[in-house]
Amino acid sequence: MTAEILDGKATAAAIKSELGVRVAKLAEQGVVPGLGTILVGDDPGSRAYVAGKHRDCAAVGISSIQVELPDTATQDEIAAKVIELNENPDCTGFIVQLPLPKHVDTNEILGLIDPLKDADGLHPVSLGKLVLGQDGPLPCTPKGCVELLRRYDVPIAGAHVVVIGRGVTAGRPMGLLFTRKSENATVTQCHTGTEDLASVVRTGDIVIAAGRFGRPDHGRHDQARRRTPRRRHQPERGRQDRRRHRPSRPRGGKLDRADARRDRPDDPRDAAHQRGGSGRSGRRRLMAGEAQRRGEWPLALSGLVSAAGLVILTFYDWRNGILLFAGGVLLAGLLRAALGDDAAGLLHVRSRMFDTALLLGVGAAILLLGLIVPS
């Protein structure tokens, strides 16, 4: 399948040509649209973005109003410029370039914009209309993505769209835009809490990277699912042959670990799975078996002490033999209290508390008997 590049520059040139015709018709009616921008600070990316807007305005015949403030501007100074553009009849729409300096409350500034002049679609009223499915200004980046896909006839309805990022300017409204009835896509919103991002990306028909989360492996192009056409004349191979050459991949795209190790039959984890079974219950059984093996030597020690006591009791000294036997029973009680149920082995009768109390009680009784009864 041949890859096709969605040329954003060519699409932008076509849109500007169409806008020029519309703006010329408005000019014939005495209406000249005016776009305003408020730039706070001297961020290179923001300055280049705003400069591009004014350059495009001049290309299509739209007047532009440029407002610039230093990064030391106060909240009130920025708010005053917003109100000024709200009241300016020559400004039919404007944006506040984000991000604003850290000392500025961005939400408060965006809330001051006249919803009728909200060119970026970030006013609470505009975002609310987007959520409700009502007509209103749309955030420019999500709208541009949808427009680019439509101009290249990329199917959107019914597609699985994976959006990486949840920022207010792009990621979050992107998901809302694609779930509208006019787009009718199924959206998965990925963010910093998404586990195994690569496997989620592989399930997407359309993947939009609206954030990187600060890690270089997020949103790489090689994580996306590759759509390859079916080979009609591919020779059929047996199931075992297919598994030998390539591990199976379920529909969700996540590779099963046992399948991935089929080419390595000597892997000790495979033998462990065969002994304990697969899944979480199998792992629990394996852990229980290992714990029991770890608990064999202390339990054998207590049994050996008790057995030695019985030998001494029978053939040599009655008092020392019974004291040693009592010590073995008490040792078993202490070990039962220290070890878990999995490691207790034959000493596990009911619960840890019951078994410990029983063993310590019997051992104490035998010890008391050996001390009281004369030899």
Side-chain angles (χ1 to χ4, degrees), residues 50-121:
V50 169
K53 289 185 179 295
H54 290 283
R55 184 171 57 252
D56 293 339
C57 286
V60 300
I62 297 177
S63 64
S64 60
I65 303 169
Q66 191 168 358
V67 177
E68 294 187 7
L69 295 172
D71 56 6
T72 57
T74 64
Q75 183 93 13
D76 293 338
E77 291 174 339
I78 301 173
K81 293 298 181 181
V82 171
I83 296 173
E84 181 180 321
L85 290 181
N86 284 339
E87 298 174 350
N88 187 349
D90 294 332
C91 177
T92 56
F94 67 96
I95 69 165
V96 177
Q97 180 61 34
L98 301 180
L100 293 172
K102 293 183 179 180
H103 66 276
V104 179
D105 188 340
T106 300
N107 291 331
E108 182 179 342
I109 295 298
L110 294 177
L112 294 175
I113 299 175
D114 185 350
L116 298 178
K117 293 188 176 184
D118 181 22
D120 240 354

Side-chain angles (χ1 to χ4, degrees), residues 158-211:
H160 180 201
V161 179
V162 176
V163 178
I164 305 175
R166 56 182 171 185
V168 67
T169 59
R172 192 175 300 276
M174 189 86 68
L176 294 173
L177 199 63
F178 274 97
T179 53
R180 297 189 308 174
K181 289 185 178 180
S182 55
E183 281 69 34
N184 210 27
T186 300
V187 174
T188 297
Q189 193 98 38
C190 298
H191 44 75
T192 53
T194 302
E195 295 184 358
D196 197 1
L197 176 65
S199 66
V200 178
V201 169
R202 292 189 190 101
T203 65
D205 301 306
I206 300 172
V207 180
I208 300 176

Side-chain angles (χ1 to χ4, degrees), residues 327-350:
V329 176
L330 291 174
L331 178 60
L334 295 176
L335 290 174
R336 180 66 183 98
L339 299 175
D341 293 342
D342 295 331
L346 296 177
L347 293 180
H348 181 197
V349 179
R350 291 187 180 179

Side-chain angles (χ1 to χ4, degrees), residues 267-278 282-283 285-286 290:
D267 197 316
R269 289 174 293 181
D270 290 335
H273 273 278
Q274 293 173 5
R275 292 194 305 269
S278 60
R283 289 193 295 271
R285 288 194 294 271
L286 289 173
E290 293 174 0

Side-chain angles (χ1 to χ4, degrees), residues 118-358:
D118 181 22
D120 240 354
L122 298 180
H123 189 277
V125 172
S126 302
L127 292 175
K129 289 184 176 181
L130 176 58
V131 172
L132 296 174
Q134 299 178 0
D135 292 336
L138 297 174
C140 59
T141 301
K143 184 179 180 181
C145 291
V146 172
E147 183 68 20
L148 183 63
L149 292 171
R150 290 200 181 283
R151 291 191 175 244
Y152 280 87
D153 297 324
V154 176
I156 299 176
H160 180 201
V161 179
V162 176
V163 178
I164 305 175
R166 56 182 171 185
V168 67
T169 59
R172 192 175 300 276
M174 189 86 68
L176 294 173
L177 199 63
F178 274 97
T179 53
R180 297 189 308 174
K181 289 185 178 180
S182 55
E183 281 69 34
N184 210 27
T186 300
V187 174
T188 297
Q189 193 98 38
C190 298
H191 44 75
T192 53
T194 302
E195 295 184 358
D196 197 1
L197 176 65
S199 66
V200 178
V201 169
R202 292 189 190 101
T203 65
D205 301 306
I206 300 172
V207 180
I208 300 176
R212 293 180 60 84
F213 312 156
R215 278 170 41 185
D217 61 332
H218 279 175
R220 295 194 322 224
H221 68 87
D222 59 343
Q223 294 176 348
R225 181 172 70 185
R226 289 177 170 84
R227 289 175 167 266
T228 55
R230 296 179 180 178
R231 300 178 181 178
R232 296 182 180 179
H233 303 291
Q234 183 177 3
E236 180 66 17
R237 294 184 297 180
R239 178 174 298 180
Q240 296 299 327
D241 189 39
R242 286 198 301 270
R243 289 184 178 178
R244 189 183 305 116
H245 286 80
R246 181 182 61 187
S248 62
R249 186 182 299 278
R251 185 176 180 180
K254 190 173 181 180
L255 193 65
D256 187 84
R257 294 182 180 180
D259 290 336
R261 292 195 300 270
R262 282 198 180 103
D263 293 335
R264 295 178 292 159
D266 296 333
D267 197 316
R269 289 174 293 181
D270 290 335
H273 273 278
Q274 293 173 5
R275 292 194 305 269
S278 60
R280 186 173 298 176
S281 61
R283 289 193 295 271
R284 288 175 178 170
R285 288 194 294 271
L286 289 173
M287 293 173 63
E290 293 174 0
Q292 188 170 355
R293 287 191 293 274
R294 288 196 301 269
E296 287 176 355
W297 69 267
L299 298 179
L301 176 62
S302 63
L304 182 62
V305 173
S306 299
L310 289 176
V311 172
I312 295 175
L313 169 66
T314 304
F315 297 102
Y316 299 101
D317 184 11
W318 183 88
R319 179 184 292 276
N320 291 331
I322 199 170
L323 292 178
L324 186 60
F325 179 79
V329 176
L330 291 174
L331 178 60
L334 295 176
L335 290 174
R336 180 66 183 98
L339 299 175
D341 293 342
D342 295 331
L346 296 177
L347 293 180
H348 181 197
V349 179
R350 291 187 180 179
S351 64
R352 179 186 295 188
M353 183 178 296
F354 175 84
D355 299 340
T356 303
L358 178 63

